[in-house]
Amino acid sequence: LHAGSGTSIGAEVAQLYLAFPPEVGEPPLQLKGFKKTELLPPGASQEILLSLRPRDFSIWDSAKHAWSRVHGQFQLAVGS
């Protein structure tokens, strides 16, 4: 993650979003992880690790009163 694009020391927050397959009917993007960088000088970068857990690929099944794993093609988006 490149955080030092200005002229001052600063930090960024990396955000990981997951998009479920359209047929599931979930919101378009769900925030599944985030992490703030250290304070970085201008032009500096820092590697950030964001992980997904099996439950992140699940939705709540109100009929079963349990989490249900969704299968299909997911999309990931990363932002700051």
Side-chain angles (χ1 to χ4, degrees):
L1 179 65
H2 177 75
S5 59
T7 58
S8 303
I9 293 174
E12 290 280 347
V13 177
Q15 303 163 16
L16 176 62
Y17 293 90
L18 183 65
F20 280 78
E23 60 272 11
V24 178
E26 287 294 294
L29 290 175
Q30 295 182 19
L31 179 64
K32 295 295 183 175
F34 60 93
K35 186 168 184 175
K36 186 176 181 179
T37 67
E38 301 170 1
L39 287 175
L40 299 172
S45 61
Q46 179 182 348
E47 187 173 316
I48 297 291
L49 176 65
L50 297 169
S51 301
L52 291 169
R53 303 165 298 157
R55 186 163 152 185
D56 291 326
F57 297 92
S58 301
I59 58 174
W60 183 254
D61 185 332
S62 57
K64 295 180 182 177
H65 299 284
W67 290 99
S68 177
R69 176 74 189 264
V70 174
H71 298 281
Q73 189 172 17
F74 291 80
Q75 292 184 356
L76 293 174
V78 178
S80 65

